[in-house]
Every structure is written in structure tokens, then in C-alpha cells.
Amino acid sequence: MRRSLAADRLATAVLWAVAVFVILVLVAIIAYFVIESIPTFSLAFLVADPSLTDIGGIGPVLWNSAYMLVLTMLLTVPLGVLGGIYMAEYAGEGWLTNAIRFSQELISSVPSIVVGLFGFALFVAATGWGFTALGGALTLMVFNLPLLLRLSEQAIRTVPADERAASLALGATKWQTIRHAVLPVAIPGVVTGIVLTAGRVFGEAAALLFTAGLSTPTRYDFSNLNPLDPQSPWSPFRNATTLSVFIWKSNSEGLGNYVHEVANMSSMVLIVMVLAFNLGSRWLGGALQRRVSGL
Amino acid sequence: MNTPQGASPVTATRPTPTPLAIASLQPELTGLNPDAPVKLRAQDVSVRYGDRMAVRDVTLDVREHSVMAFIGPSGCGKSTVLRCFDRMNDLIPGAAVEGRIELDGEDVYAPSVLPVEVRRKVGLVFQRPNPFPMSIYENVAFGPRRHGEQDKARLDDVVERALRQAALWDEVKDDLRKKSGLSLSGGQQQRLCIARTLATDPEVILMDEPCSALDPIATLKIEELIAQLKADYTIVIVTHNMQQAARVSDRTAFFTLGEDRAGYLVELDETLRIFTNPANQLTEDYVSGRFG
């Protein structure tokens, strides 16, 4: 009896310690970049153009990151979620399903630098587009789609069979059941999947080096809506260095007087953006669920 | 609802089957009316799950506006037969139904019949209360919405009527849109599920052990409800509780397991006779508690 009580206390203490350690690591990372950034940070940094001689800013690359995020999610979310529904509700078991699962796992485990090379061969060289935002987004889709597919499938599968049976017993069709009984319950899980994939878009550098490129047009003119003009901020056919690629570049081969400061401040912005995005998506998921459940 | 069946709730409140003795003297009031049309019929029905025969050669019919109880030991195929009537067996991979199932004389398994249409006429209340994680209102409006009703005023009407019929209205009318169906107590949840079924305007209500997860008071409320609903619906209830079968049903079907591990129908008769003077020794043993 005394032994099991001691073991119980020990388990509690160890689990607490692990949790505290994880949180401390996270806090330390954020604190490091915040402290390093404070002396030089100003809001102007967020919108200014990069510069070789002065600190400059990250305006264009921040825009590129947001643009790339939206473009990638536009490509990935519909396919990922619909594919997840197919895998969970329609696919059943069989060689095709197994083949899809196998490919999912395989692509998920390919290093992103390799996916980047594949993207280069296909979306940069073979298409003749050169380094473009669209090429980058398609490359990101290559390894985000299997992840989102898997996560949405799991979210849909965790919906209790009772919900489906109840809906079908009320005379709803299969699609009505999926749309009105299953998806509302699965929304938080699907949103989590979307947030995870979105986080990878924001954070990914390796796969974008050879696809979206290491440079970007500066002095964006947002009134230029021509989607084929490589200088337009709205064009998918332009070089589009994202924030993470920019950090990598500043840190490893940057020139100029403030390379270190720029990398630190950019990292802080990246972390804050990812954090804000996570919290925002949680709120969105909750709001969506309240809406569909009529509460 | 003020038909002579109004007397039935009294039946439901007594723990012993004695009131049925009185009821059986007036067959036209108890759902034993021999002139009532046959609502449901099973003709030589066998169900297999893959290679395994679950239940074999069941023939029975259920008359309109009556309550039929299915009793018998676990695994004897009661629920399986029940779920033939609304084709919910279709959802189980490998399930195959042989024989003929009729609703109003029409073959429910005919190739031209869509399961969706059958389920709109034949509602099912599950063993475990399973409201959707939505507001009370949305739970009840679910069926009508899926059947195409969009008019708000009519939906409001349907929801109120169904909740009143399920004797839940007074308890939830102030929280229709504020509370989740899951926030109700178990008994309330089950009445919500019944209301949800009633809102689809079915003709038949199948109940698969609807009280097995409920406490005695909640059980009593459901039984009272069944007695009232009989006036407008045809009800088939699977139950493990023999007193419940005695209290709520007009006729009772006793199933058991054969030596081949497949269930079969042993005896079907007026409930009073099943419980007092059954024809078959197996039935006698089961209702008197000498089984297994």
C-alpha cells in the first residue's frame, strides 16, 4: 500500500516535471527572440522593404508568407477535407484504399528538401514557370495534402457511429448524414488539421528554396492587380521568398550590417504569427461548431 | 389523446401485469382488435451476418395502433428482426436478409424501394439515448429539415408538437435553443430522441431496449409515453425487462436461441397469455425466471 502511494506521488511529480519542462522550453524560445528583438524592433520593420545597408524591414516577405499560406490552403483544404470524407465514409477496405494510405505515409515521411527538389523539377523546370509563388504553393501541397487528408479522416472517424445511425434512422440520406450529423461533430478535429498544415506552410523553408525562390519583388504596388505581372503582389507567377526562407537566408548568407538583428526580429514575428494563427483557428473552430449546432 | 387508451398510463404505473386482465376483456381498446389492419409483417425472415445465421424463419405480424414486445435472452435476434423493418440492417457489412418484410403489404426490401423512404415511415429509438450534440431545437428539427422543410414557422410548430407528444415540452420549452441535447438527463435525452423521431411524422416506431440505460422513474415516463403514442402509431419494442413487456404491450413475441446458435421465434401471443399461460414450455421457463 505504501509502495503504491509512493509510486503514485512519483508519477504525479514526473508528469508535472515533464509538462513544466516542455512549457519552459517554449517560453525560453519565445523569450530569447523577444529579448533579442526589443532593442531594434519597431512597427516600421513589419512593412518596410529589406535593405542591405540599414535594418530595413520584412514587408514584402511577410506579405509573401500570408499570400503563400492562402494560396496553399486554397489548394489543400478542399482536396484534403473532401478526400478525408471519402477515406472515412466511402472508401471502405480494399487495395485502392490501402494504396492511398501507403502513399500518404510515404509522402509524409519524405524529407521536405527532397519534396522541394521534386517541386523544382516539376513546377519550376518542367512547367517553365521559373521560381513562382504558385510553384511553391503546389510543392507545399504535395506534402501537406497527405497530412490534412489523414487528419480529416481521423477527425471524421472519431465521430461516434451512434450519430450516423441516428441520422440515417431519421430518413436522412448518406450525404445529408455526413453533411449535417458527422461534419459538425468533426469540425474541431478538421480545424486542428488545417491549423497544423497551415503552420507547416508558415514554417517551411527547405521545400521553398528551389520553388518559390530566394528573392522577391520589393516596393509592392497593391493597386497592380494584373495576375500575370511578375511585379504585382497579387500575381502567383512571381518570386516569393517567405518569412522562413528569408530568416534562413539572412542568417546563413545575408550581407549587411544588421543581419543578425533582422533574423532575430523576423523569427519573433514568425513565432507570434503562428501563435496568433493557432489561437485564431481555435476560436474559429469553436464558433463554427456553435453555429452548426444551433447553440 | 383522450381516447380510451388514456387509461393505459395507469397500466404502466403498476409493477404487476394484473391490469391487463381487465384490458383484455375489451380487445378493441387494447390494440388487440382483430379487425385492425396488419401494419408490419415478417414472412419466413432469416438474417445472416456473413456465414453466421443470426435468426431464422421468423413469421409474425403487427397490427396497426398496437404495441408488440419482443422478449428473449441476449443474442436471440430480437434487435436484428426489429431492424429489418426499417432496413437499418443494411448498415451492417455482411448482413443479408432473406424472406419478406412488409410495411402496409408492400415489400420493404423490393429493389425499387429506397431505404431512406422506409426510414421516414418507420422510426427507430435506440438503446442508448443518442441526441446530436446540438441544441434541443435542432435535434427535433433535424428530421423535418432533412426532408426538405425550411419554413421557420412550420418547423417551430413541428418541434413544439413533437416535444409535447414526447412529454418533454414543459421541461425544455425555455431552453430550446440555449441548451444542448446532451445537457439533458438520460431520461430526458431518450424522450428527446423519441420527439426527434415523432417530428419526422412516422407511422411505425421501433424501440430497441429504449429504457435499458434509464433509471426506474425515467423508465416509467417512457412507458406512459408508449401507452399514449399507441393511439397514433404502431409500436414494436425490444425489451429485456419482462415486467415492461407486460406493462406496455398488447402482444408479445418470445425469441430464444436454437441449438445451432441462431435465434428463432418460439411463441407469439397476447401478452397476458404469454405471461400467465404460455403454450410453449420454453416460454414458461423464461417468463417465470427458470431460464439459464
Short mmCIF file of all heavy atoms in Angstrom, two decimals, chain B residues 203-246:
data_model
loop_
_atom_site.label_atom_id
_atom_site.label_comp_id
_atom_site.label_asym_id
_atom_site.label_seq_id
_atom_site.Cartn_x
_atom_site.Cartn_y
_atom_site.Cartn_z
N GLU B 203 -45.07 6.36 -39.19
CA GLU B 203 -46.28 5.59 -38.94
C GLU B 203 -45.99 4.49 -37.91
O GLU B 203 -46.87 4.07 -37.18
CB GLU B 203 -46.78 4.97 -40.25
CG GLU B 203 -47.21 6.03 -41.25
CD GLU B 203 -47.31 5.48 -42.66
OE1 GLU B 203 -47.40 4.25 -42.84
OE2 GLU B 203 -47.29 6.31 -43.59
N VAL B 204 -44.73 4.07 -37.92
CA VAL B 204 -44.32 2.99 -37.02
C VAL B 204 -43.14 3.51 -36.19
O VAL B 204 -42.30 4.24 -36.70
CB VAL B 204 -43.88 1.75 -37.82
CG1 VAL B 204 -43.35 0.66 -36.90
CG2 VAL B 204 -45.01 1.24 -38.68
N ILE B 205 -43.11 3.14 -34.91
CA ILE B 205 -41.94 3.47 -34.10
C ILE B 205 -41.35 2.18 -33.55
O ILE B 205 -42.04 1.41 -32.87
CB ILE B 205 -42.31 4.41 -32.93
CG1 ILE B 205 -42.95 5.68 -33.47
CG2 ILE B 205 -41.07 4.76 -32.12
CD1 ILE B 205 -43.49 6.58 -32.39
N LEU B 206 -40.09 1.94 -33.90
CA LEU B 206 -39.39 0.79 -33.36
C LEU B 206 -38.56 1.25 -32.18
O LEU B 206 -37.93 2.31 -32.24
CB LEU B 206 -38.46 0.19 -34.43
CG LEU B 206 -39.08 -0.12 -35.79
CD1 LEU B 206 -38.00 -0.59 -36.77
CD2 LEU B 206 -40.17 -1.19 -35.66
N MET B 207 -38.58 0.49 -31.10
CA MET B 207 -37.79 0.87 -29.93
C MET B 207 -36.91 -0.31 -29.53
O MET B 207 -37.40 -1.39 -29.24
CB MET B 207 -38.71 1.26 -28.77
CG MET B 207 -39.59 2.45 -29.07
SD MET B 207 -40.50 2.96 -27.63
CE MET B 207 -41.19 4.51 -28.20
N ASP B 208 -35.61 -0.04 -29.53
CA ASP B 208 -34.65 -1.10 -29.25
C ASP B 208 -34.15 -0.97 -27.81
O ASP B 208 -33.19 -0.25 -27.57
CB ASP B 208 -33.49 -1.01 -30.25
CG ASP B 208 -32.63 -2.25 -30.23
OD1 ASP B 208 -32.89 -3.14 -29.39
OD2 ASP B 208 -31.72 -2.34 -31.06
N GLU B 209 -34.80 -1.64 -26.89
CA GLU B 209 -34.47 -1.52 -25.46
C GLU B 209 -34.34 -0.06 -25.03
O GLU B 209 -33.29 0.35 -24.53
CB GLU B 209 -33.17 -2.27 -25.16
CG GLU B 209 -33.26 -3.75 -25.44
CD GLU B 209 -31.99 -4.45 -25.02
OE1 GLU B 209 -31.49 -4.13 -23.93
OE2 GLU B 209 -31.49 -5.29 -25.78
N PRO B 210 -35.39 0.72 -25.21
CA PRO B 210 -35.26 2.17 -25.01
C PRO B 210 -35.01 2.57 -23.55
O PRO B 210 -34.62 3.69 -23.30
CB PRO B 210 -36.62 2.71 -25.47
CG PRO B 210 -37.56 1.59 -25.26
CD PRO B 210 -36.77 0.33 -25.55
N CYS B 211 -35.25 1.66 -22.62
CA CYS B 211 -35.13 2.05 -21.21
C CYS B 211 -33.95 1.38 -20.51
O CYS B 211 -33.77 1.55 -19.31
CB CYS B 211 -36.41 1.70 -20.46
SG CYS B 211 -37.86 2.47 -21.17
N SER B 212 -33.15 0.63 -21.27
CA SER B 212 -32.14 -0.17 -20.57
C SER B 212 -31.06 0.70 -19.94
O SER B 212 -30.33 0.26 -19.07
CB SER B 212 -31.52 -1.20 -21.52
OG SER B 212 -30.86 -0.54 -22.55
N ALA B 213 -30.94 1.96 -20.39
CA ALA B 213 -29.92 2.82 -19.79
C ALA B 213 -30.56 3.84 -18.83
O ALA B 213 -29.91 4.80 -18.44
CB ALA B 213 -29.14 3.55 -20.88
N LEU B 214 -31.83 3.63 -18.47
CA LEU B 214 -32.54 4.64 -17.69
C LEU B 214 -32.88 4.14 -16.28
O LEU B 214 -33.00 2.95 -16.04
CB LEU B 214 -33.83 5.04 -18.40
CG LEU B 214 -33.69 5.52 -19.84
CD1 LEU B 214 -35.04 5.98 -20.36
CD2 LEU B 214 -32.67 6.64 -19.95
N ASP B 215 -33.06 5.09 -15.37
CA ASP B 215 -33.48 4.74 -14.02
C ASP B 215 -34.99 4.45 -14.01
O ASP B 215 -35.68 4.73 -14.98
CB ASP B 215 -33.11 5.86 -13.05
CG ASP B 215 -33.88 7.13 -13.34
OD1 ASP B 215 -35.12 7.13 -13.23
OD2 ASP B 215 -33.24 8.14 -13.71
N PRO B 216 -35.50 3.86 -12.92
CA PRO B 216 -36.90 3.42 -12.90
C PRO B 216 -37.92 4.53 -13.15
O PRO B 216 -38.92 4.31 -13.83
CB PRO B 216 -37.08 2.85 -11.49
CG PRO B 216 -35.71 2.47 -11.06
CD PRO B 216 -34.79 3.45 -11.70
N ILE B 217 -37.65 5.73 -12.66
CA ILE B 217 -38.63 6.81 -12.85
C ILE B 217 -38.67 7.25 -14.31
O ILE B 217 -39.72 7.42 -14.91
CB ILE B 217 -38.31 8.00 -11.92
CG1 ILE B 217 -38.52 7.56 -10.47
CG2 ILE B 217 -39.18 9.19 -12.25
CD1 ILE B 217 -38.04 8.55 -9.45
N ALA B 218 -37.48 7.39 -14.90
CA ALA B 218 -37.41 7.74 -16.32
C ALA B 218 -38.04 6.64 -17.16
O ALA B 218 -38.74 6.91 -18.14
CB ALA B 218 -35.96 7.96 -16.72
N THR B 219 -37.83 5.39 -16.74
CA THR B 219 -38.42 4.25 -17.44
C THR B 219 -39.94 4.34 -17.44
O THR B 219 -40.60 4.16 -18.46
CB THR B 219 -37.98 2.94 -16.77
OG1 THR B 219 -36.56 2.85 -16.86
CG2 THR B 219 -38.61 1.74 -17.44
N LEU B 220 -40.47 4.68 -16.27
CA LEU B 220 -41.91 4.80 -16.13
C LEU B 220 -42.47 5.84 -17.08
O LEU B 220 -43.51 5.64 -17.73
CB LEU B 220 -42.23 5.17 -14.68
CG LEU B 220 -43.64 4.87 -14.23
CD1 LEU B 220 -43.85 3.38 -14.21
CD2 LEU B 220 -43.89 5.48 -12.86
N LYS B 221 -41.77 6.97 -17.19
CA LYS B 221 -42.24 8.04 -18.07
C LYS B 221 -42.29 7.57 -19.52
O LYS B 221 -43.21 7.89 -20.26
CB LYS B 221 -41.31 9.26 -17.96
CG LYS B 221 -41.54 10.04 -16.70
CD LYS B 221 -41.04 11.47 -16.86
CE LYS B 221 -41.50 12.30 -15.68
NZ LYS B 221 -40.49 13.22 -15.20
N ILE B 222 -41.25 6.83 -19.92
CA ILE B 222 -41.23 6.32 -21.29
C ILE B 222 -42.39 5.34 -21.50
O ILE B 222 -43.07 5.36 -22.53
CB ILE B 222 -39.89 5.61 -21.59
CG1 ILE B 222 -38.71 6.56 -21.35
CG2 ILE B 222 -39.88 5.03 -22.99
CD1 ILE B 222 -38.38 7.50 -22.44
N GLU B 223 -42.65 4.52 -20.48
CA GLU B 223 -43.74 3.55 -20.62
C GLU B 223 -45.09 4.25 -20.74
O GLU B 223 -45.95 3.85 -21.54
CB GLU B 223 -43.73 2.57 -19.44
CG GLU B 223 -42.53 1.63 -19.50
CD GLU B 223 -42.51 0.65 -18.32
OE1 GLU B 223 -43.48 0.64 -17.55
OE2 GLU B 223 -41.51 -0.07 -18.19
N GLU B 224 -45.27 5.30 -19.95
CA GLU B 224 -46.52 6.08 -20.07
C GLU B 224 -46.66 6.65 -21.47
O GLU B 224 -47.74 6.66 -22.07
CB GLU B 224 -46.53 7.22 -19.04
CG GLU B 224 -46.76 6.74 -17.62
CD GLU B 224 -46.59 7.86 -16.60
OE1 GLU B 224 -46.35 9.01 -17.00
OE2 GLU B 224 -46.70 7.56 -15.40
N LEU B 225 -45.52 7.12 -21.96
CA LEU B 225 -45.49 7.71 -23.29
C LEU B 225 -45.91 6.68 -24.34
O LEU B 225 -46.71 6.97 -25.23
CB LEU B 225 -44.06 8.18 -23.54
CG LEU B 225 -43.81 9.08 -24.72
CD1 LEU B 225 -44.69 10.30 -24.63
CD2 LEU B 225 -42.35 9.50 -24.70
N ILE B 226 -45.38 5.48 -24.22
CA ILE B 226 -45.70 4.42 -25.18
C ILE B 226 -47.21 4.17 -25.19
O ILE B 226 -47.83 4.07 -26.25
CB ILE B 226 -44.93 3.13 -24.85
CG1 ILE B 226 -43.43 3.35 -25.09
CG2 ILE B 226 -45.43 1.96 -25.68
CD1 ILE B 226 -42.55 2.23 -24.58
N ALA B 227 -47.79 4.14 -23.99
CA ALA B 227 -49.22 3.89 -23.89
C ALA B 227 -50.02 4.97 -24.62
O ALA B 227 -51.04 4.69 -25.25
CB ALA B 227 -49.63 3.81 -22.43
N GLN B 228 -49.53 6.22 -24.55
CA GLN B 228 -50.23 7.30 -25.23
C GLN B 228 -50.00 7.27 -26.74
O GLN B 228 -50.91 7.52 -27.52
CB GLN B 228 -49.75 8.65 -24.69
CG GLN B 228 -50.30 8.94 -23.31
CD GLN B 228 -49.59 10.12 -22.67
OE1 GLN B 228 -49.00 10.94 -23.35
NE2 GLN B 228 -49.65 10.18 -21.35
N LEU B 229 -48.77 6.98 -27.13
CA LEU B 229 -48.42 7.02 -28.55
C LEU B 229 -49.15 5.96 -29.36
O LEU B 229 -49.34 6.09 -30.55
CB LEU B 229 -46.90 6.86 -28.73
CG LEU B 229 -46.06 8.01 -28.21
CD1 LEU B 229 -44.58 7.68 -28.33
CD2 LEU B 229 -46.37 9.29 -28.99
N LYS B 230 -49.57 4.91 -28.67
CA LYS B 230 -50.23 3.79 -29.34
C LYS B 230 -51.46 4.25 -30.13
O LYS B 230 -51.82 3.66 -31.14
CB LYS B 230 -50.63 2.77 -28.27
CG LYS B 230 -51.05 1.45 -28.79
CD LYS B 230 -51.14 0.46 -27.68
CE LYS B 230 -52.45 0.65 -26.90
NZ LYS B 230 -52.69 -0.47 -25.99
N ALA B 231 -52.09 5.32 -29.66
CA ALA B 231 -53.29 5.80 -30.34
C ALA B 231 -52.99 6.22 -31.77
O ALA B 231 -53.83 6.12 -32.65
CB ALA B 231 -53.89 6.96 -29.56
N ASP B 232 -51.78 6.71 -32.00
CA ASP B 232 -51.46 7.26 -33.31
C ASP B 232 -50.42 6.47 -34.08
O ASP B 232 -50.24 6.69 -35.27
CB ASP B 232 -50.94 8.70 -33.15
CG ASP B 232 -51.96 9.59 -32.49
OD1 ASP B 232 -53.09 9.65 -33.01
OD2 ASP B 232 -51.66 10.19 -31.45
N TYR B 233 -49.71 5.60 -33.39
CA TYR B 233 -48.60 4.92 -34.05
C TYR B 233 -48.67 3.42 -33.78
O TYR B 233 -49.32 2.98 -32.83
CB TYR B 233 -47.25 5.45 -33.55
CG TYR B 233 -47.11 6.94 -33.68
CD1 TYR B 233 -47.48 7.79 -32.63
CD2 TYR B 233 -46.64 7.51 -34.85
CE1 TYR B 233 -47.37 9.16 -32.76
CE2 TYR B 233 -46.52 8.88 -34.99
CZ TYR B 233 -46.89 9.71 -33.93
OH TYR B 233 -46.78 11.06 -34.07
N THR B 234 -47.95 2.69 -34.60
CA THR B 234 -47.76 1.27 -34.36
C THR B 234 -46.37 1.13 -33.75
O THR B 234 -45.41 1.70 -34.25
CB THR B 234 -47.84 0.48 -35.68
OG1 THR B 234 -49.07 0.81 -36.31
CG2 THR B 234 -47.75 -1.00 -35.42
N ILE B 235 -46.28 0.39 -32.65
CA ILE B 235 -45.01 0.36 -31.91
C ILE B 235 -44.52 -1.07 -31.73
O ILE B 235 -45.30 -1.97 -31.40
CB ILE B 235 -45.19 1.03 -30.52
CG1 ILE B 235 -45.55 2.51 -30.71
CG2 ILE B 235 -43.92 0.89 -29.68
CD1 ILE B 235 -45.94 3.22 -29.43
N VAL B 236 -43.24 -1.26 -31.98
CA VAL B 236 -42.59 -2.54 -31.66
C VAL B 236 -41.45 -2.23 -30.70
O VAL B 236 -40.63 -1.37 -30.99
CB VAL B 236 -42.04 -3.26 -32.90
CG1 VAL B 236 -41.48 -4.62 -32.52
CG2 VAL B 236 -43.12 -3.40 -33.97
N ILE B 237 -41.43 -2.90 -29.57
CA ILE B 237 -40.40 -2.61 -28.57
C ILE B 237 -39.65 -3.88 -28.20
O ILE B 237 -40.25 -4.92 -27.91
CB ILE B 237 -41.03 -1.93 -27.32
CG1 ILE B 237 -39.96 -1.67 -26.25
CG2 ILE B 237 -42.17 -2.75 -26.75
CD1 ILE B 237 -40.47 -0.81 -25.10
N VAL B 238 -38.33 -3.79 -28.26
CA VAL B 238 -37.48 -4.88 -27.77
C VAL B 238 -37.16 -4.57 -26.32
O VAL B 238 -36.81 -3.44 -26.00
CB VAL B 238 -36.17 -4.96 -28.58
CG1 VAL B 238 -35.19 -5.91 -27.92
CG2 VAL B 238 -36.45 -5.37 -30.00
N THR B 239 -37.33 -5.54 -25.45
CA THR B 239 -37.01 -5.27 -24.04
C THR B 239 -36.47 -6.51 -23.35
O THR B 239 -36.83 -7.64 -23.68
CB THR B 239 -38.22 -4.71 -23.28
OG1 THR B 239 -37.87 -4.51 -21.93
CG2 THR B 239 -39.40 -5.65 -23.36
N HIS B 240 -35.57 -6.26 -22.41
CA HIS B 240 -35.09 -7.34 -21.56
C HIS B 240 -35.90 -7.43 -20.28
O HIS B 240 -35.76 -8.36 -19.50
CB HIS B 240 -33.61 -7.10 -21.20
CG HIS B 240 -32.69 -7.74 -22.17
ND1 HIS B 240 -31.77 -7.03 -22.90
CD2 HIS B 240 -32.57 -9.02 -22.57
CE1 HIS B 240 -31.12 -7.84 -23.70
NE2 HIS B 240 -31.58 -9.05 -23.51
N ASN B 241 -36.70 -6.38 -20.08
CA ASN B 241 -37.45 -6.27 -18.84
C ASN B 241 -38.84 -6.86 -19.07
O ASN B 241 -39.67 -6.28 -19.76
CB ASN B 241 -37.51 -4.79 -18.46
CG ASN B 241 -38.28 -4.55 -17.20
OD1 ASN B 241 -39.12 -5.35 -16.82
ND2 ASN B 241 -37.99 -3.44 -16.56
N MET B 242 -39.09 -8.02 -18.49
CA MET B 242 -40.35 -8.70 -18.79
C MET B 242 -41.54 -7.97 -18.20
O MET B 242 -42.62 -7.99 -18.76
CB MET B 242 -40.28 -10.14 -18.29
CG MET B 242 -39.50 -10.99 -19.27
SD MET B 242 -39.44 -12.67 -18.77
CE MET B 242 -38.20 -12.61 -17.54
N GLN B 243 -41.32 -7.31 -17.05
CA GLN B 243 -42.43 -6.54 -16.50
C GLN B 243 -42.79 -5.40 -17.43
O GLN B 243 -43.96 -5.05 -17.59
CB GLN B 243 -42.04 -5.99 -15.12
CG GLN B 243 -42.01 -7.09 -14.09
CD GLN B 243 -41.33 -6.66 -12.81
OE1 GLN B 243 -40.57 -5.70 -12.81
NE2 GLN B 243 -41.61 -7.36 -11.74
N GLN B 244 -41.75 -4.84 -18.06
CA GLN B 244 -42.02 -3.78 -19.01
C GLN B 244 -42.85 -4.30 -20.18
O GLN B 244 -43.85 -3.68 -20.57
CB GLN B 244 -40.71 -3.21 -19.53
CG GLN B 244 -40.91 -2.13 -20.56
CD GLN B 244 -39.63 -1.38 -20.81
OE1 GLN B 244 -38.71 -1.90 -21.43
NE2 GLN B 244 -39.56 -0.15 -20.32
N ALA B 245 -42.48 -5.45 -20.69
CA ALA B 245 -43.25 -6.04 -21.78
C ALA B 245 -44.70 -6.24 -21.33
O ALA B 245 -45.64 -5.92 -22.06
CB ALA B 245 -42.63 -7.37 -22.19
N ALA B 246 -44.85 -6.72 -20.11
CA ALA B 246 -46.20 -6.96 -19.59
C ALA B 246 -46.98 -5.66 -19.46
O ALA B 246 -48.18 -5.62 -19.70
CB ALA B 246 -46.11 -7.66 -18.23
#
